[in-house]
Amino acid sequence: MLYTPDTIAAIATAPGRGGVGVIRISGRHLGDIADKLIGKPLTPRYAHFARFKAADGSVVDEGIALYFPGPNSFTGEDVIELQGHGGPIVMQMLLARCIELGARFAEAGEFSKRAFLNDKMDLAQAEAVADLIDAQSTAAAKSALKSLDGAFSREIHVLVDELITLRMLVEATLDFPEEDIDFLEAANAHGKLLELQSQLQRVLGTATQGKLLREGVHIVLIGQPNVGKSSLMNALAGEEIAIVTAIAGTTRDTVRELIQLDGIPAHIIDTAGLRTTTDIVEKIGIERTWAAIAKAELALLLIDSREGITADDQAILDKLPPQLPVLRVFNKIDLTGDVPGIVAENEIHVSAKAGIGLTELRSKLLALVGWHGNDDSVFIARERHLNAIRRAQSHLVTAETAYLQIEIFAEELRLAQNALSEITGQFTSDDLLGVIFSRFCIGK
Ligand SMILES: Nc1nc2c(c(=O)[nH]1)N(C=O)[C@@H](CNc1ccc(C(=O)N[C@@H](CCC(=O)O)C(=O)O)cc1)CN2
Ligand SMILES: Nc1nc2c(ncn2[C@@H]2O[C@H](COP(=O)(O)OP(=O)(O)OP(=O)(O)O)[C@@H](O)[C@H]2O)c(=O)[nH]1
């Protein structure tokens, strides 16, 4: 084992009151702690009813104790779990007793980090544990489970193996420079490179879907006062979140709501209507609207169907960031009798109040954010993973252009392999590991 750790302990269950609370302890030799805490040796993987003892022999709590000797445990080290009564004070007392017996407070993500360092799981799997806990929809949880089960890692392993095969071929030719090109041609190195590129593209596609499931999208509702932004927000959310009145300028601050679109967490942001105003509160609201626009991945510009796109709407459109996709939503068609649904590439007719055209709107939103539908094959992924795949892709592009300069070709293949290996953590710096695990919760 590369890693010689001290003993760590943490409350593994959520803070607050619960029927049962769990404390997890992980380290190398937990026999001593078990003796002092429970007063008897623990049979591996056996549920013991036990009284957890304080130093003076009094009882801190009673509960169930489990012992998983390393390496057959979650962390790969010896693990003891204490299942006590799930009150915050009892849990704190029990944890304090573990600390008194020589454990220290675990840092965020430290159990998972140890599982990674002890080869119980790779980095993508450890991240999937955190993503499973943080999942905001059933679809996100299911795809986190896929990654946890190794679906993503296996894809990466296949690609890395193929890269290694290609590298061996290319590096072999470095030893026989006279025959190099012919040799590579005969071995179809170029064809293999193209094949790798198309596989990378496919994995990037799936990972992009996984990132959408994990991180969701930010959709901002903008437009003139009184066009129905708050009504649309409420209609999408299925409840009255934002205040709706006939008074222009009702929404003065940004209002956020998390809704599900086919399992994609969508943060819908209702904003103050954009107009010139002297009202100081409304002015601040409008500034916040622009700040929300800057962070959004998609904007819905609401328009009153009776008026169509006005000069004021055009002025808003002109000020939007050029790369931001904008869907023009013509609202209040119950008053005009316009046909509901998509009318042009970036235009849709709805009535927020009457609930017309909303199904079409939801599908359109999903298409605009790049969601291809949940076919159960999507594994959870993060920006870190997409970034690694893109870097691997760009090394393969350089490799392809440098095909006849074999040293460069070989080097680019090596760099592509390293980039992919960052995903599973076979090639990852300690700093990066620190950043990744520190974002986990305590006790995980
Ligand atoms: N009580 C408890 N429940 C829990 C966890 C835990 O740590 N403790 N988990 C924490 O996330 C999750 C389950 N994950 C786990 C993963 C591996 C092992 C484990 O003991 N693995 C051994 C033995 C495997 C086997 O018997 O097949 C090993 O990998 O060698 C335990 C829990 C969810 N439920
Ligand atoms: N007939 C009809 N009325 C609507 C529709 N959508 C919204 N309204 C009405 O239009 C008025 C303004 O709606 P809001 O949702 O508050 O509009 P807003 O754009 O959020 O307004 P501000 O808060 O001023 O920015 C309310 O009286 C709504 O009931 C619709 O589809 N049809």
Side-chain angles (χ1 to χ4, degrees):
M1 209 187 294
L2 293 165
Y3 184 65
T4 50
D6 42 7
T7 297
I8 54 174
I11 301 170
T13 36
R17 293 164 65 236
V20 177
V22 175
I23 290 195
R24 203 157 44 159
I25 313 168
S26 179
R28 293 237 285 169
H29 303 291
L30 300 186
D32 199 33
I33 291 193
D35 279 352
K36 290 190 172 133
L37 191 65
I38 294 152
K40 59 180 178 192
L42 293 172
T43 311
R45 306 168 141 264
Y46 179 91
H48 300 262
F49 174 74
R51 295 198 168 79
F52 309 135
K53 302 255 172 46
D56 64 3
S58 64
V59 176
V60 183
D61 191 10
E62 56 176 42
I64 308 289
L66 299 168
Y67 172 46
F68 303 89
N72 300 115
S73 69
F74 177 71
T75 58
E77 305 168 347
D78 284 356
V79 169
I80 290 179
E81 291 187 1
L82 308 173
Q83 307 184 353
H85 292 94
I89 302 296
V90 193
M91 282 286 115
Q92 287 302 338
M93 291 191 321
L94 201 50
L95 180 59
R97 178 65 178 134
C98 297
I99 304 299
E100 190 178 73
L101 289 171
R104 68 165 168 79
F105 296 111
E107 289 164 18
E110 205 171 3
F111 290 92
S112 303
K113 186 174 183 185
R114 288 186 175 193
F116 166 68
L117 292 172
N118 292 325
D119 281 335
K120 299 305 288 187
M121 53 172 93
D122 68 31
L123 198 51
Q125 289 174 303
E127 290 172 312
V129 170
D131 292 341
L132 179 58
I133 292 172
D134 292 337
Q136 305 187 63
S137 69
T138 317
K142 280 188 177 163
S143 64
L145 266 171
K146 284 212 174 62
S147 288
L148 179 56
D149 190 41
F152 188 14
S153 307
R154 280 191 291 276
E155 298 257 16
I156 298 302
H157 286 310
V158 169
L159 288 167
V160 167
D161 284 349
E162 285 171 11
L163 261 168
I164 292 173
T165 312
L166 186 56
R167 283 185 63 199
M168 278 164 35
L169 207 77
V170 174
E171 288 184 15
T173 63
L174 285 172
D175 301 333
F176 305 100
E178 320 76 49
E179 310 163 33
D180 47 15
I181 303 302
D182 295 344
F183 183 81
L184 285 182
E185 290 291 323
N188 188 26
H190 191 252
K192 290 190 168 119
L193 184 65
L194 293 183
E195 176 57 25
L196 266 167
Q197 285 179 328
S198 86
Q199 282 177 327
L200 265 180
Q201 191 56 37
R202 184 182 51 75
V203 176
L204 181 65
T206 315
T208 306
Q209 301 290 294
K211 188 197 151 189
L212 264 177
L213 269 180
R214 177 179 182 266
E215 290 167 22
V217 286
H218 293 84
I219 301 176
V220 69
L221 304 181
I222 54 172
Q224 300 300 314
N226 245 350
V227 290
K229 298 180 292 299
S230 302
S231 302
L232 186 63
M233 163 103 154
N234 292 345
L236 286 172
E239 56 184 306
E240 302 299 304
I241 290 144
I243 302 170
V244 173
T245 73
I247 304 161
T250 301
T251 304
R252 289 148 70 104
D253 198 353
T254 45
V255 180
R256 286 152 199 276
E257 177 61 17
L258 180 65
I259 67 161
Q260 306 288 337
L261 291 173
D262 195 27
I264 306 276
H267 304 265
I268 310 279
I269 305 149
D270 180 19
T271 63
L274 294 165
R275 66 169 170 185
T276 320
T277 174
T278 50
D279 180 302
I280 180 109
V281 178
E282 202 178 341
K283 259 193 175 150
I284 297 172
I286 291 172
E287 274 165 33
R288 291 193 180 167
T289 299
W290 285 108
I293 290 171
K295 287 192 203 131
E297 282 114 13
L298 172 63
L300 304 192
L301 175 68
L302 262 83
I303 297 150
D304 190 323
S305 292
R306 291 169 299 182
E307 299 185 21
I309 298 186
T310 62
D312 287 334
D313 292 326
Q314 194 53 51
I316 296 177
L317 282 169
D318 292 342
K319 274 205 265 173
L320 291 175
Q323 74 288 355
L324 179 69
V326 184
L327 179 66
R328 299 161 193 218
V329 181
F330 291 83
N331 188 33
K332 308 196 185 182
I333 58 162
D334 53 317
L335 300 177
T336 58
D338 286 330
V339 223
I342 310 288
V343 284
E345 179 54 29
N346 60 354
E347 287 184 11
I348 188 163
H349 283 175
V350 304
S351 167
K353 195 172 175 181
I356 302 172
L358 296 180
T359 306
E360 291 91 334
L361 177 62
R362 286 196 186 88
S363 317
K364 182 68 182 174
L365 296 182
L366 285 166
L368 283 170
V369 299
W371 178 240
H372 299 157
N374 206 339
D375 62 358
D376 272 1
S377 70
V378 178
F379 46 77
I380 210 96
R382 304 176 167 207
E383 181 54 36
R384 181 184 88 77
H385 305 142
L386 301 193
N387 179 285
I389 298 172
R390 288 195 203 101
R391 275 186 286 124
Q393 282 185 314
S394 97
H395 287 302
L396 291 192
V397 169
T398 317
E400 199 188 342
T401 50
Y403 187 51
L404 299 178
Q405 298 152 275
I406 296 190
E407 267 99 1
I408 300 179
F409 187 52
E411 175 62 4
E412 291 296 329
L413 293 181
R414 187 182 70 83
L415 292 172
Q417 183 190 336
N418 287 353
L420 284 184
S421 301
E422 283 177 25
I423 294 174
T424 47
Q426 280 147 313
F427 185 84
T428 312
S429 72
D430 287 351
D431 291 356
L432 180 61
L433 290 182
V435 171
I436 291 171
F437 287 107
S438 66
R439 297 197 182 136
F440 283 43
C441 48
I442 300 273
K444 194 59 243 174

